[in-house]
Amino acid sequence: KLSAVDRVERMFRVLRETGCGKNKHYNMLLNAYISAQQLDRVSWVLASMMEAGLAPDVVTFTSLLHAYGKARQLDRVAEIFAMMKHMGVTPTAVTYNTLLAIYGRHQQTARVQQLCLEMLETGFPLDLTTYNTLLSMHCKAGDVAQLEVVMEAMHHNRLKP
């Protein structure tokens, strides 16, 4: 019996052989490898995609950020985010919240604050996901003062944790 990854790989080969290798197909394969925790294959998908003349999109980059964040490879997370910006791919609120969750889990408060400011500067308001990530980070750190600041901001923006 074929594993889910094997089935996705087979489907991907057929799509590529028929000339239908598009971003969404590469992203499908990428997410299969991420789900199977096959990070060595994740890098291969990105390289293959670019060799095929396809530029990674925001979904590709956000998936990569999630994968490397889950693997605790924070240097690689920073590299991928820098590559994303260098290639002119605009982060979405989902991208920012993915990064905030990664850095928040690792108590990188300064990086989280920097990303929140960047989020606001690029026109993305802090949403419920963002605030809950901040609450989680400050709670884990035992920082009651910052918890109160975040709760007040949520109240001001009519959001409930």
Side-chain angles (χ1 to χ4, degrees), residues 36 74 100 112 117 141:
L74 300 186
L100 291 171
V112 167
L117 287 174

Side-chain angles (χ1 to χ4, degrees), residues 39-104:
L39 277 186
D40 56 322
R41 304 299 293 160
V42 167
S43 296
W44 174 84
V45 173
L46 180 62
S48 296
M49 186 179 202
M50 294 172 86
E51 285 173 18
L54 296 172
D57 59 18
V58 69
V59 174
T60 309
F61 281 115
T62 302
S63 295
L64 289 167
L65 293 168
H66 174 75
Y68 289 114
K70 193 173 178 183
R72 297 182 173 140
Q73 294 183 21
L74 300 186
D75 290 342
R76 191 73 176 124
V77 169
E79 289 171 17
I80 294 294
F81 192 53
M83 179 192 299
M84 178 182 184
K85 288 178 160 184
H86 179 74
M87 292 180 74
V89 178
T90 304
T92 63
V94 172
T95 307
Y96 280 113
N97 282 322
T98 298
L99 287 165
L100 291 171
I102 291 165
Y103 290 119

Side-chain angles (χ1 to χ4, degrees), residues 2-48:
L2 292 175
S3 73
V5 170
D6 292 331
R7 289 192 308 269
V8 171
E9 284 176 336
R10 180 184 284 174
M11 188 182 335
F12 178 76
R13 279 192 298 276
V14 169
L15 289 167
R16 196 171 57 184
E17 288 168 5
T18 60
C20 293
K22 297 182 180 179
N23 278 40
K24 66 182 175 183
H25 303 127
Y26 281 90
N27 289 339
M28 176 183 65
L29 184 60
L30 178 69
N31 285 314
Y33 289 138
I34 291 168
S35 294
Q37 298 178 348
Q38 296 182 12
L39 277 186
D40 56 322
R41 304 299 293 160
V42 167
S43 296
W44 174 84
V45 173
L46 180 62
S48 296

Side-chain angles (χ1 to χ4, degrees), residues 100-120:
L100 291 171
I102 291 165
Y103 290 119
R105 268 194 305 274
H106 297 282
Q107 294 298 304
Q108 296 202 2
T109 309
R111 184 74 176 124
V112 167
Q113 290 172 338
Q114 177 189 357
L115 285 166
C116 285
L117 287 174
E118 187 175 318
M119 227 176 137
L120 292 168

